[in-house]
Amino acid sequence: MQLKLKKGLTLNIDGAVENWNPCAEIVPTTCAIYPEDFHGITPKTNVKEGDLVKVGSCLLFDKTQPDLKITSPVAGKVKAVVRGERRKILRVEVETDASAPFESEAFDTASAKDSAAILSLLAGSGLLAEVRQRPYDIVPRLNEAPRDIFVTAFDLAPLAPQPGFGLMGDDAAQVLTKAVEVLSGLTQGKVYISVSDSGFSGTIKGAEIVEVSGKYPASNPGVQAANIAPVNKGETIWCMDIATLYKIGRLFTDGKVVSQTFVAVTGPEVATPCAVKTVEGASLPEVLAGRLKNDNVHKRVICGNVFTGTVENPDSKESYLHYPWRQITVIAEGDDADEFMGWASMAPSKMSLSRSFPGHFLHKLFRPDARLNGGRRAMIMSGEYDRVFPMDVMPEYLLKAIISRDIESMEKLGIYEVAPEDFAAAEYADTSKLPLQKIVREGLDFLRKELE
């Protein structure tokens, strides 16, 4: 199957990794898991400070679904359960055992013969928490079987590495085939694997391979699903990347959870962009040590890409990698910039989608900063979202329905098909400077609360 998407955008940002051979292998002294990265769960701790854990040991579980667990990425001792206001769990920190950092729990895969046992094993190993359900873009509900499962094997976000890069070995095809076989037992539909039209050859037994061409956000599994088999009211689909699929296959092959990952350290403020082999949830200061430019520029460290990542404090010792744990982007903050005419500057070094700026016509690598470049204003119904939104949805009208909390209009306009990340490109292109991803996230949470 081939899927050609014309809408979207590509940002040419300086700081891409050129040599993908790992420049370092870091076993961090401390790792942490953030419950907020796993939207849709009500976290409850399963450990206390001082407890010994292994890779795959339960740190948190869902209060509404106790069988759904979030597990430790390393073996060691629980350092702290950090709480915020009203005792909200902010993160669980684990101090790594330097002598055996990857000692893993052993999971009994031999007895997982039927769908219930398979689902229970995925939930107990923590891998189900890395899957996302549509509608609502949340961790899957255990009582809802997916109609189809969509896997994306590439990433078109700025400077992003390919999912699963460096993680998969020579037996990758067999492991992925095993994962597809396992997931096929959980759905009556198909397992779709979407690949770049220029970066994949071959087949994976049991899966429907889809060759996708286009610009970001064409690599989002939700966008692919909306163009292949859209989700309707009352239906459920699962979305994941190829790295998660590989972990599932490895679990059912070896009985262990893979927690090592390759992180691309990218961006204009990185001295030498490179790939680092480390662990999920690794300490950011340890990963970034000695890798940032010493140019006296205020820096913004983003866990993830510039569209959807999470901002972290680079100077804090309590900053850790966020899910999905494969990219760090560092750009200038911009609060110390001294630029003639500010956001209205016509300098060719300014990156813009508008034809009013010379940079729009230049095929060069840009060094953007984090400034808003303009003020917030009312939504302009100009069709600018449509130009970068490759789904059969009218984004402006859907956003207005979400803001007004009009459930009937939200359903008619396709709320069940979308996730916040699908609006990232539109948020960048938005001249109104509206936080579109936040609006969609709040709308999905409101809808789920009202209907469930």
Side-chain angles (χ1 to χ4, degrees), residues 106-162:
F107 294 91
D108 181 15
T109 59
S111 59
K113 300 297 185 182
D114 56 16
S115 60
I118 292 172
L119 189 62
S120 177
L121 183 57
L122 289 176
S125 64
L127 293 182
L128 191 63
E130 298 184 23
V131 180
R132 293 297 174 264
Q133 171 191 303
R134 299 287 195 284
Y136 309 128
D137 188 43
I138 57 174
V139 174
R141 306 290 88 185
L142 298 179
N143 59 347
E144 299 179 16
R147 185 206 65 197
D148 294 299
I149 298 175
F150 292 85
V151 182
T152 184
F154 66 109
D155 193 344
L156 297 176
L159 307 178
Q162 298 313 306

Side-chain angles (χ1 to χ4, degrees), residues 84-100:
E85 295 180 1
R86 303 180 67 180
R87 293 188 56 78
K88 176 183 177 181
I89 302 172
L90 301 181
R91 64 182 179 274
V92 178
E93 300 177 357
V94 179
E95 187 175 347
T96 307
D97 182 355
S99 61

Side-chain angles (χ1 to χ4, degrees), residues 107-110 112 121-122 127 171-182 245-258:
F107 294 91
D108 181 15
T109 59
L121 183 57
L122 289 176
L127 293 182
D171 60 348
Q174 297 162 335
V175 175
L176 293 174
T177 299
K178 180 63 176 179
V180 170
E181 177 187 337
V182 169
L245 185 70
Y246 179 81
K247 293 177 188 178
I248 292 173
R250 187 57 70 188
L251 172 66
F252 282 85
T253 301
D254 301 337
K256 297 180 181 180
V257 175
V258 175

Side-chain angles (χ1 to χ4, degrees), residues 19 21 235 245 300 319 333 351 368 410-411:
N19 181 6
N21 293 321
E235 297 178 339
L245 185 70
R300 174 170 292 196
S319 297
E333 187 69 49
M351 182 174 66
M410 289 160 64
E411 291 180 335

